[in-house]
Amino acid sequence: MAPSHLSVREMREDEKPLVLEMLKAAVKDTENRVALHALTRPPALLLLAAASSGLRFVLASFALALFLPVFLAVVAMKLGLRARWGSLPPPGGLGGPWVAVRGSGDVCGVLALAPGSNSGARVTRLSVARWHRRRGVGRRLLAFAESRARTWAGGMGEPRARLVVPVAVAAWGVAGILEGCGYQAEGSWGCMGYTLVREFSKDL
């Protein structure tokens, strides 16, 4: 499917359940990789080892003392990721959320934006349905986001716009697409000094 066969419009209320399922599926695709990346960092391993050692004095089972801290840490991380990225944010000053739609009417992607710093914009949700990936949907949504960011900056009286896109550290494919579109890694956030999410930005 070529990008020219796609259109982007505001999400209708009856499409909300489908869009939510799309977001949840996208989180599931990355949450295991993010959890593995985070929990195999040396500080996390040290904390898990300390927790297991403490539990050995409480629990009769050595295997359970080893398994329980890891299980709880993975569950907490997955719940945090789903709460952050697996739901729709409230409509912001830039409007939306928006959906990418095929000519036949199939919703194949979702985008949400929020005002950023210095009259820029920030992508808060960008997801493509699994069966529509590698067909230009993500790039079409990104181009739409850039257009909205320019409009937003122009309305604020700014001559130039800036768009920021956060990307989970495990989503190397997305990072490659952004770099190919002229975005540069400018910041990150994480836990215990280790990066979980990188931020890419582009001056428009």
Side-chain angles (χ1 to χ4, degrees), residues 19-139:
V19 168
L20 285 172
E21 286 302 316
M22 190 185 305
L23 289 171
K24 291 175 183 177
V27 171
K28 288 180 181 178
D29 287 345
T30 59
E31 63 184 11
N32 289 329
R33 285 176 290 172
V34 172
L36 180 64
H37 175 84
L39 297 179
T40 53
R41 303 305 96 186
L45 292 173
L46 198 61
L47 288 174
L48 291 173
S52 295
S53 298
L55 286 173
R56 287 178 61 185
F57 295 100
V58 179
L59 301 175
S61 170
F62 174 74
L64 185 59
L66 287 175
F67 171 77
L68 190 58
V70 176
F71 173 77
L72 293 176
V74 170
V75 169
M77 185 163 294
K78 287 187 175 185
L79 289 176
L81 289 172
R82 292 176 189 180
R84 185 178 180 89
W85 287 330
S87 60
L88 279 171
L94 282 85
W98 295 273
V99 291
V101 183
R102 289 180 55 183
S104 59
D106 293 336
V107 174
C108 52
V110 59
L111 167 73
L113 296 170
S117 59
N118 300 322
S119 301
R122 181 181 182 86
V123 172
T124 57
R125 303 289 187 279
L126 199 163
S127 180
V128 177
R130 185 177 298 140
W131 51 92
H132 289 287
R133 291 174 187 168
R134 300 183 184 277
R135 298 181 180 181
V137 179
R139 290 178 184 271

